[in-house]
Amino acid sequence: MKKIRVGIIGANVNRGWGPRAHLPALLALPDFELTAVCTSRPETALESKEQFGAQFAFHDYHEMVNHPEIDIVSVVVRVPFHHDMTIAALNAGKHVFTEWPLGANLLEAEAMADLAR
């Protein structure tokens, strides 16, 4: 069975929920594989790639969401960034998991949900 290839935006190995909660949970799921990590800087992206065994490292989320070997994008960054990153992933035709809360306000959440539909 082919595994679902996941790219995580917010996978900085040094801070945040990504390395403490989302990445360990993902790595424990047999039907998913961590394909890519994305952080805001090349150095931390490479560090996270090595730490978690991802195939690709990105420091530009636009490049990651458009990569053909990623099936689903997980957005695990601070809430003010959820909207733009989620919209970019949806516009790239990806399935998306965005951590709670979905948006910074109701309008953002509705826009993302409408586009996903």
Side-chain angles (χ1 to χ4, degrees):
M1 180 177 157
K2 183 178 171 187
K3 291 188 175 190
I4 298 168
R5 303 168 297 179
V6 181
I8 295 186
I9 304 172
N12 189 322
V13 72
N14 299 307
R15 69 175 108 129
W17 284 105
R20 291 184 292 153
H22 297 286
L23 282 156
L26 173 67
L27 294 172
L29 297 170
D31 295 334
F32 294 82
E33 75 178 21
L34 178 62
T35 301
V37 292
C38 183
T39 69
S40 60
R41 295 185 335 212
E43 309 84 50
T44 55
L46 287 173
E47 187 179 4
S48 292
K49 174 188 175 208
E50 292 172 9
Q51 175 76 25
F52 296 108
Q55 187 176 358
F56 303 104
F58 296 92
H59 65 277
D60 179 342
Y61 72 87
H62 291 100
E63 289 181 27
M64 192 189 84
V65 301
N66 287 295
H67 196 281
E69 292 184 46
I70 295 170
D71 302 314
I72 185 169
V73 173
S74 183
V75 178
V76 296
V77 296
R78 290 178 298 201
V79 176
F81 302 107
H82 285 187
H83 179 265
D84 291 348
M85 293 175 174
T86 300
I87 293 293
L90 290 169
N91 281 330
K94 305 296 183 187
H95 296 281
V96 183
F97 168 81
T98 303
E99 69 179 348
W100 180 87
L102 180 58
N105 55 55
L106 181 59
L107 291 175
E108 283 186 4
E110 288 177 336
M112 290 182 271
D114 289 344
L115 183 57
R117 279 188 208 94

